[in-house]
């Protein structure tokens, strides 16, 4: 009796601390990541809002000019130069994303996020203090550098923390912050810019992010990234899988643990392995085309709405539409994928169908002369267009080995931006400078969504598709 009691007693005393006394549960941790993602995208909406971005001076036929407003008015920017501010941000994001992905194999990934958020906060403050085009362009580039750490590493943490049956829904919550953040940025930027001045929008953003900069250095994630060694224990981690790994999978994880200390060599090998994945290539090609349009919409949407329909509160209207439709579309797409048999083929069918229908509704919307008809059709189109957000990133996470996921996310980010929304913002601006017709410019951009649907539609028939191992 005594011996049995001696055996049982320690087990009863040691079990609770491991499971019940941890404050930072996976759900709370993911909530923190979602809020950080929301603030990141609020910044993207702020820089595009009429209250912050403003407008250049306008002169009538008699030569009488009205003063410009916001960044464009204060720095006297053309639409092309204005679009370059978006591209400057993307340059920083693109250069830094693969660097952070590579460093994650040598340093604690969550601490790297903290370093990136610190850079982001300082750079946003710098945007508020800028006094010419080149100064704000450089600071926008460093905002992109700061965000790169988060974009590359946050999604794998969420994917590892999510219950297997709700994996897509958790990713949907994370990616829902993209449209919600941009939309809140439109509203926030419009209000602050009109009442306190455009510079204060950046200062307030920095204050909000500073809280999470401190948290990132003080808290420890509830789990270690799958396929990565714990930086303290020096052991390969497989503990965070929502489905227990098979012996073969565990063996694969061990054999893939890098032995070389040369980061450049390791990066080259990982990059070669990544681009040998046909699923990744097809997915990213469609994503590039899709993001070309989304980038132009997010940056020029409020101005196009004002130019076509003379909306008095374009920031509020586009912001409100994007918040509601973005939430419904993103969560709806992730919910549908959780409910269907989530093969890669089925995922591409969902991507193609939602993008095709969304393109049709948005194209028809911009043909409408009546503003209310436009809003109704565009709302349906936005819901469908935002549906791919979680599925397309889920493919990026699950078409590669676990230890390649940060590089997969980083490479996807680089490609969809450098070939997508980096050129699309100045392209749209240049096209508008030439056409001087907001409706025609927007219809041309919208038509590119049909190409994205075609690419993802072709992808569904690829012979390289296989079942997602983690949800089978």
């Amino acid at each position: 009796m005594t011996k049995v009691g001696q055996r049982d007693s320690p087990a009863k005393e040691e079990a609770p601390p491991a499971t019940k006394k941890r404050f930072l549960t996976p759900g709370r941790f993911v909530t923190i990541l979602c809020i950080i993602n929301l603030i990141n995208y609020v910044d993207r909406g702020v820089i595009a809002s009429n209250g912050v971005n403003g407008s250049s001076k306008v002169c009538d036929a008699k030569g009488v000019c009205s003063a410009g407003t916001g960044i464009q008015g204060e720095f006297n920017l053309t639409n092309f130069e204005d679009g370059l501010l978006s591209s400057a941000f993307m340059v920083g994001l693109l250069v830094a994303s693969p660097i952070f992905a590579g460093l994650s194999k040598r340093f604690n990934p969550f601490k790297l996020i903290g370093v990136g958020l610190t850079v982001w906060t300082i750079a946003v403050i710098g945007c508020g203090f800028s006094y010419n085009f080149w100064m704000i362009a450089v600071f926008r580039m460093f905002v992109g550098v700061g965000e790169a750490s988060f974009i590359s590493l946050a999604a794998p943490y969420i994917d590892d923390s999510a219950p297997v049956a709700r994996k897509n829904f958790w990713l949907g919550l994370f990616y829902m912050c993209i449209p919600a953040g941009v939309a809140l940025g439109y509203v926030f930027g419009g209000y602050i810019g009109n009442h306190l001045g455009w510079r204060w929008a950046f200062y307030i953003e920095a204050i909000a992010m500073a809280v999470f900069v401190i948290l990132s250095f003080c808290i420890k994630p509830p789990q270690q990234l799958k396929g990565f060694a714990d930086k303290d224990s020096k052991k390969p981690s497989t503990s965070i899988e929502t489905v227990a790994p098979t012996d073969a999978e565990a063996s694969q994880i061990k054999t893939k643990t890098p032995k070389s200390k040369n980061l450049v060599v390791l990066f080259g090998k990982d990059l070669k392995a990544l681009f040998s994945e046909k699923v990744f290539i097809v997915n990213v090609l469609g994503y590039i085309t899709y993001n070309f349009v989304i980038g132009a919409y997010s940056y020029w949407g409020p101005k196009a709405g004002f130019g076509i329909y003379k909306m008095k509160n374009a920031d509020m209207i586009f912001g409100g539409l994007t918040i509601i439709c973005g939430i419904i579309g993103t969560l709806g797409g992730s919910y549908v994928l959780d409910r269907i048999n989530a093969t890669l083929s089925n995922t591409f069918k969902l991507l193609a169908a939602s993008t095709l229908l969304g393109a049709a509704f948005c194209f028809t919307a911009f043909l409408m002369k009546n503003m209310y008809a436009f809003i109704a059709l565009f709302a349906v189109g936005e819901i469908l267009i935002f549906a791919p957000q979680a599925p397309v990133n889920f493919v990026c996470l699950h078409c590669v080995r676990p230890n390649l996921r940060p590089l997969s996310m980083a490479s996807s980010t680089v490609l969809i931006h450098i070939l997508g929304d980096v050129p699309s913002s100045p392209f749209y601006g240049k096209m508008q400078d030439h056409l001087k017709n907001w409706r025609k410019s927007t219809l041309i951009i919208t038509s590119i969504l049909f190409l994205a649907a075609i690419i993802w539609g072709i992808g569904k028939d690829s012979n390289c598709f296989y079942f997602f191992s983690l949800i089978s």
Side-chain angles (χ1 to χ4, degrees), residues 39-321:
I39 297 173
N40 276 328
Y41 280 90
V42 164
D43 173 72
R44 298 201 195 187
V46 161
I47 191 69
S49 67
N50 285 321
V52 172
N53 190 272
S55 60
S56 57
K57 65 179 182 180
V58 178
C59 300
D60 59 23
K62 297 180 180 179
V64 179
C65 299
S66 59
T69 60
I71 294 171
Q72 190 173 14
E74 185 167 333
F75 299 150
N76 195 27
L77 307 181
T78 64
N79 286 329
F80 176 71
E81 290 171 328
D82 194 12
L84 287 177
L85 290 181
S86 175
S87 297
F89 166 86
M90 291 303 171
V91 168
L93 187 74
L94 304 183
V95 171
S97 290
I99 294 174
F100 279 110
L103 290 175
S104 67
K105 290 195 171 185
R106 287 288 178 266
F107 301 98
N108 186 305
F110 198 65
K111 292 297 186 289
L112 290 175
I113 289 178
V115 172
L117 294 182
T118 302
V119 173
W120 188 97
T121 304
I122 295 171
V124 166
I125 294 172
C127 290
F129 282 105
S130 297
Y131 56 83
N132 60 33
F133 168 73
W134 291 109
M135 187 173 179
I136 194 170
V138 170
F139 278 120
R140 291 307 298 171
M141 182 180 68
F142 279 101
V143 172
V145 170
E147 187 174 320
S149 65
F150 187 77
I151 292 298
S152 303
L153 302 171
Y157 270 118
I158 293 174
D159 188 58
D160 286 342
S161 301
V164 67
R166 309 197 76 193
K167 192 177 291 288
N168 286 292
F169 184 74
W170 280 39
L171 282 172
L173 289 173
F174 180 73
Y175 288 107
M176 176 194 72
C177 296
I178 294 177
V182 171
L184 284 172
Y186 291 158
V187 177
F188 172 75
Y191 182 83
I192 297 298
N194 291 331
H195 290 80
L196 298 178
W198 64 267
R199 298 177 187 274
W200 274 99
F202 293 115
Y203 300 150
I204 295 172
E205 281 179 25
I207 293 171
M209 185 64 85
V211 176
F212 296 96
V213 171
I214 296 171
L215 273 178
S216 65
F217 288 109
C218 295
I219 64 176
K220 183 178 180 180
Q223 296 145 329
Q224 183 66 24
L225 276 181
K226 175 185 171 186
F228 285 77
D230 189 309
K231 305 308 173 187
D232 297 324
S233 68
K234 307 295 183 183
K235 296 179 181 178
S237 171
T238 59
S239 62
I240 59 167
E241 287 189 277
T242 51
V243 176
T246 64
D247 292 339
E249 287 172 332
S251 175
Q252 184 188 39
I253 292 173
K254 291 179 182 178
T255 58
K256 295 301 179 179
T257 301
K259 296 180 180 180
S260 173
K261 293 184 178 181
N262 190 321
L263 285 175
V264 176
V265 172
L266 287 174
F267 181 78
K269 289 181 178 179
D270 288 346
L271 206 60
K272 181 179 179 181
L274 176 65
F275 281 91
S276 67
E277 294 287 350
K278 295 179 181 178
V279 178
F280 176 81
I281 298 297
V282 174
N283 188 53
V284 169
L285 285 175
Y287 204 179
I288 288 169
T289 313
Y290 167 90
N291 209 51
F292 190 91
V293 180
I294 298 301
Y297 273 10
S298 64
Y299 196 80
W300 292 104
K303 285 191 174 183
F306 179 80
I308 298 172
Y309 297 104
K310 306 304 177 186
M311 297 178 181
K312 294 182 179 179
N313 297 307
D315 287 338
M316 298 294 181
I317 293 174
F318 268 84
L321 270 178

Side-chain angles (χ1 to χ4, degrees), residues 364-378:
T364 305
F366 283 109
L367 289 174
M368 296 294 103
K369 303 294 184 181
N370 182 275
M371 184 180 73
Y372 298 104
F374 160 78
I375 291 174
L377 289 169
F378 189 69

Side-chain angles (χ1 to χ4, degrees), residues 383-445:
I383 290 173
L384 292 164
I385 285 174
F386 281 116
Q389 288 289 337
V392 70
N393 285 286
F394 192 56
V395 174
C396 285
L397 287 168
H398 288 276
C399 68
V400 297
R401 298 194 311 265
N403 65 344
L404 287 180
R405 290 179 304 165
L407 183 60
S408 176
M409 296 302 298
S411 299
S412 171
T413 299
V414 168
L415 292 170
I416 67 172
H417 290 312
I418 200 169
L419 300 176
D421 53 3
V422 166
S424 73
S425 293
F427 172 80
Y428 186 101
K430 191 70 175 179
M431 181 168 58
Q432 176 58 23
D433 285 339
H434 176 72
L435 296 177
K436 300 188 184 304
N437 187 311
W438 288 103
R439 190 186 302 275
K440 287 183 180 179
S441 298
T442 308
L443 286 170
I444 291 171
I445 284 291

